[in-house]
Amino acid sequence: MEWKQAGVTHNEHLKTIGPDWPGTPVNKQGRFLNEDAQPVPGFADLWRWQTETNPQKKEKKREDFRLLVVEDDYFLHSNQDCIVWLGHASFFIRLNGVTLITDPVLTTPSRFMKRHSQLPVDPAKFTDLDYILLSHDHRDHCDQKSIQMLGRQNPRVEILTGLKLDQLLKKWVPTIRCQAAGWYQQYVTDRNKIEIIYLPAHHWGRRYLNDTNVRLWGSYLIRSGGKSIYFGADSGYSSHYADFHNQFGSVDVALLGVGAYKPEWFMGPSHMGPTDAVRAAHEIRARTFIPMHYGTFDLSDEPLGDPYRSLAELKKEPPNRDLIYLAAVGEVVNL
């Protein structure tokens, strides 16, 4: 592979899981690569997408789908192990008394991104958090205002993220504690309470014009008390799902993205649609698959409810009936 000739990197202060893993791949310019070394779509691809006709344009214009939102904050005052979808890729998770939030976007990230599903609870109520899992630097996952707000409300919180993203976070909140991992590296936690490992995803990173892939992207395995959660973050379908099962076995719950996937020729390398997400869930041997990354922000060509309707059809197939769980925003899924 190209990247094996270019170079690899890791955090020397964190444990690497797997003796054969050489490190996270980088190119000759020091920018991160996917495992298959495939480049991200370029300007010509973006221009083609923006100028071609969307075959679902009329359907999208008529779309009135909205996610069901359960407005209740009782889960914040419970000791029960649980997962609560907050919309898009944001989840509140409690395992063995440890509380964390994934990719918190608790505001409207920009004037170009309208929020189509409300938050189930007032963000001011997120206090006493132990960890924030920040998968990558895209604005619909890494929101400066949300990070600053949670930092103020949770002075002891620690952010667990990918290589080089901690440098940006320190500029936003100079006092915030961060651990930045390479793929297949385990964060330093109280292992009697929880284990969290940073894993590959097939994606890319950028916040500005000239920082493409300067900061790493990834997914997470969260384990505690015999229970396990895989947070897939943003990812196209790739071999890392089969690799996950080969190394870690099955998982209780997989949180996988299903939206922002059309046109598939452009979005496919970065985001899965419903069919590929179900395929991935089977490959990692998930007992339950909770879809995410749809219904909150309109980021691509498919109508807002397209992933939900596709998953409802897929759920009718026998192998998927007990696998797919279409959670409402704010619904408490006990573990």
Side-chain angles (χ1 to χ4, degrees):
M1 283 189 184
E2 175 188 335
W3 62 265
K4 288 187 177 179
Q5 299 171 1
V8 297
T9 186
H10 66 285
N11 183 338
E12 62 182 11
H13 302 293
L14 297 179
K15 177 182 178 181
T16 296
I17 306 297
D20 298 329
W21 177 246
T24 304
V26 294
N27 65 13
K28 293 179 181 179
Q29 291 73 44
R31 302 203 178 202
F32 295 104
L33 296 167
N34 285 305
E35 288 184 277
D36 59 10
Q38 293 299 308
V40 300
F43 179 78
D45 296 314
L46 177 64
W47 179 256
R48 175 188 163 190
W49 172 39
Q50 292 298 310
T51 55
E52 71 179 7
T53 301
N54 178 4
Q56 290 184 282
K57 183 176 180 180
K58 291 183 179 179
E59 181 185 350
K60 186 169 180 174
K61 192 173 182 180
R62 296 192 302 265
E63 178 68 274
D64 60 358
F65 173 85
R66 291 296 181 268
L67 290 167
L68 176 64
V69 179
V70 179
E71 295 184 73
D72 201 325
D73 65 357
Y74 83 91
F75 64 88
L76 293 173
H77 313 289
S78 166
N79 294 320
Q80 174 68 44
D81 288 354
C82 67
I83 299 173
V84 182
W85 190 27
L86 306 176
H88 202 53
S90 303
F91 287 88
F92 172 91
I93 298 173
R94 182 187 295 109
L95 270 183
N96 197 20
V98 178
T99 56
L100 56 91
I101 280 185
T102 67
D103 289 356
V105 180
L106 309 176
T107 69
T108 300
S110 78
R111 57 193 175 122
F112 304 107
M113 293 174 61
K114 177 182 177 182
R115 195 173 190 104
H116 295 280
S117 69
Q118 66 193 63
L119 289 165
V121 298
D122 181 351
K125 295 183 178 181
F126 289 117
T127 59
D128 298 321
L129 294 172
D130 294 296
Y131 299 107
I132 298 170
L133 273 51
L134 213 52
S135 67
H136 67 295
D137 65 6
H138 285 161
R139 294 172 188 267
D140 60 317
H141 293 256
C142 179
D143 176 47
Q144 180 175 352
K145 291 181 179 178
S146 296
I147 296 301
Q148 290 172 330
M149 177 182 63
L150 291 175
R152 289 192 301 271
Q153 295 170 190
N154 301 271
R156 294 181 297 175
V157 75
E158 188 164 15
I159 298 179
L160 308 182
T161 191
L163 294 172
K164 301 292 184 70
L165 185 48
D166 58 324
Q167 298 172 10
L168 178 66
L169 301 173
K170 285 285 188 178
K171 293 179 181 178
W172 294 350
V173 188
T175 58
I176 203 78
R177 296 189 301 153
C178 295
Q179 294 184 52
W183 291 337
Y184 293 105
Q185 289 203 285
Q186 183 169 329
Y187 297 100
V188 177
T189 61
D190 182 346
R191 295 186 62 184
N192 292 321
K193 288 189 173 182
I194 199 162
E195 295 180 349
I196 304 176
I197 302 168
Y198 197 56
L199 294 170
H202 198 281
H203 201 57
W204 59 291
R206 184 172 66 209
R207 287 188 73 84
Y208 309 107
L209 290 176
N210 298 313
D211 64 345
T212 300
N213 294 354
V214 166
R215 294 171 284 271
L216 186 58
W217 55 91
S219 59
Y220 296 83
L221 172 61
I222 308 161
R223 299 190 291 199
S224 181
K227 301 174 184 178
S228 56
I229 300 169
Y230 176 75
F231 173 61
D234 268 3
S235 181
Y237 175 81
S238 192
S239 59
H240 63 282
Y241 296 112
D243 293 342
F244 175 93
H245 177 257
N246 291 337
Q247 182 153 357
F248 300 105
S250 61
V251 69
D252 291 312
V253 181
L255 311 174
L256 300 174
V258 298
Y261 74 105
K262 289 183 178 179
E264 293 186 64
W265 68 263
F266 180 71
M267 292 292 187
S270 305
H271 299 125
M272 292 187 293
T275 300
D276 276 343
V278 169
R279 179 184 177 190
H282 281 296
E283 285 195 356
I284 65 176
R285 304 297 196 274
R287 295 181 178 88
T288 301
F289 157 41
I290 298 178
M292 63 168 183
H293 205 269
Y294 77 100
T296 300
F297 300 117
D298 184 0
L299 302 174
S300 56
D301 280 1
E302 77 270 10
L304 208 61
D306 180 279
Y308 183 93
R309 291 185 287 267
S310 296
L311 287 163
E313 289 300 311
L314 287 166
K315 188 172 171 61
K316 295 177 182 178
E317 300 175 8
N320 304 328
R321 285 175 186 166
D322 296 327
L323 173 69
I324 301 171
Y325 189 86
L326 292 165
V329 173
E331 178 182 356
V332 178
V333 180
N334 291 321
L335 297 171

